[in-house]
Each structure stands twice: as structure tokens, then as C-alpha cells.
Amino acid sequence: MAGTLAVVGEKWSLLVLREAFLGVRRFADLQRNLGAPKAVLTDRLGTLVEQGILRRVPYQAEGERQRHEYRLTTKGIDLYPTLVALMQWGDKYLADDVAPLALEHRDCGSPVHLGLVCDDGHELSGAREVRAVPRQGASRAG
Amino acid sequence: MAGTLAVVGEKWSLLVLREAFLGVRRFADLQRNLGAPKAVLTDRLGTLVEQGILRRVPYQAEGERQRHEYRLTTKGIDLYPTLVALMQWGDKYLADDVAPLALEHRDCGSPVHLGLVCDDGHELSGAREVRAVPRQGASRAG
DNA sequence: GTTCGAGGTTCGTCAAGTGAACTCAGCCGG
DNA sequence: CCGGCTGAGTTCACTTGACGAACCTCGAAC
């Protein structure tokens, strides 16, 4: 866990990824949506690319010179549950009125949420139903 | 989401919460386990208490004066999925050898993981099976 | 060959993080 | 009653990082 935070724990990283999941790929759009200083955004995008979470892909809009856009890699897409977890908590405890974004299953249309499930197929109600078991062979990092 | 990050997005907050979930409650133990400067730890604990994520509970060890310990509130416990999400991603992409901590269902003993499930009971394979639908009535905050 | 705009870089300022040293409150042993 | 010990902070000097504004650069269009 500490490792993950070292990678994406900086101030704007997860917000950049949120935009990425919403389909925002261009520097200027990210900058406008987030309101982050350009210098910080440049730096964050750089480290996310370094970490293999985003890819820098060339593209060319009509009548413009070639530029680069930022796309999620598989490694980046796998951070989706993290973002959803943050979102759900915010929706529950911080939302003024109603969640501003709903997630639904693309196939069946019903609402999607994040849950703890065990390999027997039970869905757990929360942290109290989980036992954490330390393992040997590594100090705790997660 | 931005709101959630404003609350727990600072450098040590989520690590403090990890320790809390592992049962660490005392200032000195937190400080030792995390290696965070005392000043920062004091500040983080203070804001987490302010936010209602931790409670300051008096306790008294034998032969010592009364002190305070920090315990998770319900609001804090509900951050569990966030931590698990960070942990699972770290286990997948950053672990040197093997995950240092395994989670199991307290009732049936089988491994627990975090998954996206829809209200029809399907478990989704990942972000690509989800569609995000904006709602009216609020600007996006999540 | 000047303008325009995306995608940066540079710079001065200011907030936040960091570690070491210091404080404070009580319990204890002498 | 005195002085030392310990857990929990606080203060301080220093370094790192965030911030906003201004500047630079490349290529297309005029």
C-alpha cells in the first residue's frame, strides 16, 4: 500500500487518472478541468508515464501539427477500483445532494458498486467480516 | 472524489488509517511503524479526528497516567475498500515476491478480494464493463 | 515573416514536510 | 519532595514541493 501511494499518492495523480477514465486525454483539457498548474501537471504526467500507468501516444488533429495524448495502460486501468472506492466514500459522506456520477453495468444497465467478495461467492458487508493474515517472506508493504 | 482526496489525500493520512485497521491505536506505535515526523502525525491525527474518521478515546495503562488512543469510527471503517484497492494494486504491480498480507472471510476462511458488482449480481471483470453516467443537480465532485 | 495556440519550461514565492531538540504531565523510586 | 522516566506533543531551522505568471517553441495558417 505504501508503494502504491508512493506511485499515485501525490496531490494530482489520482485526479489526473479520474479524468483519464472519463476520456480526457489532452494536456490542455486536463489542465482546464483540474485547474492544476501546468508545471505540476507536466511533472505528474511524466511520472505516470514513467510508471507505465499512462502512455504517451502521438496524434494529429486536422490541420494541426502532431501532438501527444495520454492514454491509460492496463496497469492504469487496474487502478479503477481505487478511484471507485474514493468516489463511493465521497458520495456517501461528502456529497451535497446526490452523487454526480452513476456507474452502470454496460451489459445489463443496473448500477455498479464496489464490494468485498470472497472466493466462495459471498459478498461481505464491510471490514469487520475480513481477517487480515500476515505472511512470511516480506515485510509489510502492500 | 476530489472531496475524498481533500480529506484523506495527504501524504500520511491513508497510511495512518492502514495502521488503524491493523489495530494500532497509540501515538507512539503509529510513529514507530510509519516513521513519520511527530509534528505531521499530530496534525494528520487531528484532521482525521476533525473529519470524524477517527475518535480520540481516553485509556489508562496500568501504572501510567491517562492517555488517548485513536479508534476508527464508522466513517473511517467505510474507507476500508479504498485501502484494499490500493493494497491489491500494489500486490499486483509492486510486490517483490508475494503479497505480505492476505485477507480472508472471517466466516468461511476463503480469500477476499475487491470486485465491481452490479445489482443484478454479476461480478464485472474491470473498468471496461462500466459506463459512467453523469447526473444533473451537481457539478462533478465525487 | 508574423500571428496563434497547444504543450510545455522557468522563476519567485509561499505552504508543507522533515528531523532534532525542547516542553509538559503524571507515576515512581529514593 | 526531588529528580528521572515515558508518552504525547510543540517549536524551530531547513528542505522540498505546490503555485501562478510569464516566457519559450514548434508548426499551420494568413
Side-chain angles (χ1 to χ4, degrees), chain B residues 29-113:
Chain B
D29 295 338
L30 288 168
Q31 213 251 311
R32 183 168 25 256
N33 290 350
L34 297 173
K38 290 166 147 201
V40 176
L41 193 50
T42 304
D43 190 82
R44 277 321 90 87
L45 288 169
T47 62
L48 289 172
V49 169
E50 257 180 52
Q51 298 292 336
I53 292 169
L54 295 178
R55 268 177 313 161
R56 223 159 160 264
V57 180
Y59 76 97
Q60 186 144 18
E62 182 176 3
E64 288 183 15
R65 70 165 159 160
Q66 174 177 307
R67 302 180 188 287
H68 294 89
E69 62 182 13
Y70 299 87
R71 287 167 182 259
L72 288 161
T73 64
T74 305
K75 193 171 170 182
I77 290 173
D78 282 350
L79 279 166
Y80 192 65
T82 301
L83 300 209
V84 174
L86 290 166
M87 201 182 94
Q88 283 188 5
W89 191 88
D91 288 350
K92 183 163 180 184
Y93 289 106
L94 306 173
D96 300 337
D97 39 7
V98 74
L101 201 65
L103 306 179
E104 57 182 45
H105 190 180
R106 205 177 279 279
D107 291 357
C108 75
S110 47
V112 166
H113 65 103

Side-chain angles (χ1 to χ4, degrees), chain A residues 7 23 30 39 78 93 135:
Chain A
V7 174
L30 287 168
D78 282 349
Y93 289 107
R135 294 197 193 168

Side-chain angles (χ1 to χ4, degrees), chain A:
Chain A
M1 228 200 76
T4 308
L5 287 176
V7 174
V8 296
E10 271 162 309
K11 220 172 218 170
W12 294 97
S13 303
L14 286 169
L15 292 170
V16 167
L17 291 176
R18 178 190 66 181
E19 294 303 314
F21 277 107
L22 294 175
V24 179
R25 294 200 251 266
R26 312 242 259 255
F27 189 93
D29 295 337
L30 287 168
Q31 213 250 310
R32 185 168 23 258
N33 290 352
L34 297 173
K38 289 166 145 199
V40 176
L41 193 50
T42 303
D43 191 80
R44 277 323 90 87
L45 288 169
T47 63
L48 289 172
V49 169
E50 256 179 52
Q51 297 292 336
I53 292 168
L54 296 179
R55 268 176 314 161
R56 225 161 160 261
V57 180
Y59 76 97
Q60 186 142 18
E62 182 176 6
E64 288 184 14
R65 71 167 156 159
Q66 174 175 307
R67 301 180 190 288
H68 297 279
E69 61 183 12
Y70 298 88
R71 286 169 182 258
L72 287 161
T73 64
T74 305
K75 192 170 169 182
I77 290 173
D78 282 349
L79 279 167
Y80 192 64
T82 301
L83 300 209
V84 173
L86 290 165
M87 203 184 92
Q88 282 188 5
W89 192 87
D91 289 348
K92 182 162 180 183
Y93 289 107
L94 306 173
D96 299 339
D97 38 7
V98 74
L101 201 66
L103 306 179
E104 59 183 43
H105 191 181
R106 205 177 279 279
D107 292 356
C108 76
S110 47
V112 166
H113 65 103
L114 203 61
L116 293 158
V117 294
C118 81
D119 290 2
D120 271 13
H122 311 125
E123 181 168 352
L124 322 197
S125 68
R128 281 184 226 79
E129 285 194 57
V130 179
R131 180 183 12 236
V133 186
R135 294 197 193 168
Q136 49 273 63
S139 59
R140 62 171 150 65

